[in-house]
Amino acid sequence: LYRIPGNNDDMLIVKALLDKQMKSVDVQTDSRLSDIYTITSLIKLFIRELPLPLITPEVHSELSELATNSSLPDHQKVSLTRKALRNLSDVHFDTLEFFVRHLHRVAQYSDVNMMTADNLALVFAPTLVSRDVKET
């Protein structure tokens, strides 16, 4: 699902429309949005073009330290992970939570869409976590 690119021309046209005036795009009738791969490509592009990744560099650093700490029991890692994620701004946290719930729903249908949790991680991990922050 997320590994197959959509029509690039359609994606760029819809992106430009969304950037200009989101309410002008009718997702029910716009034929450019009838292709699921164009929609998934738009989602990937949106996440990739955020000026700051959803998991900020500071939080990414905390999460990396937790992941490599083999002395912590799993229940403590879960608790500390939740605490680290709470260091995100409300906007980042809420968006990340919404997006992770979406990915969970996608993974529930992996027998149909071939997007297991591992596949989704391969597609999205690089764009969700720390990267060089764009100059504004």
Side-chain angles (χ1 to χ4, degrees), residues 38-50:
T38 299
I39 295 170
T40 57
S41 291
L42 278 166
I43 293 169
K44 290 187 294 188
L45 183 64
F46 171 78
I47 298 293
R48 191 170 47 247
E49 288 188 345
L50 289 172

Side-chain angles (χ1 to χ4, degrees), residues 75-114:
H75 73 279
Q76 192 172 6
K77 281 186 181 183
V78 169
S79 175
L80 291 170
T81 297
R82 286 183 177 144
K83 184 178 178 188
L85 290 173
R86 274 298 177 193
N87 288 327
L88 293 169
S89 70
D90 288 345
V91 170
H92 278 80
F93 183 86
D94 292 345
T95 305
L96 181 64
E97 181 181 36
F98 181 87
F99 191 62
V100 168
R101 288 180 191 274
H102 164 70
L103 295 178
H104 176 71
R105 284 191 302 274
V106 169
Q108 287 178 316
Y109 295 96
S110 63
D111 57 325
V112 176
N113 62 35
M114 311 306 261

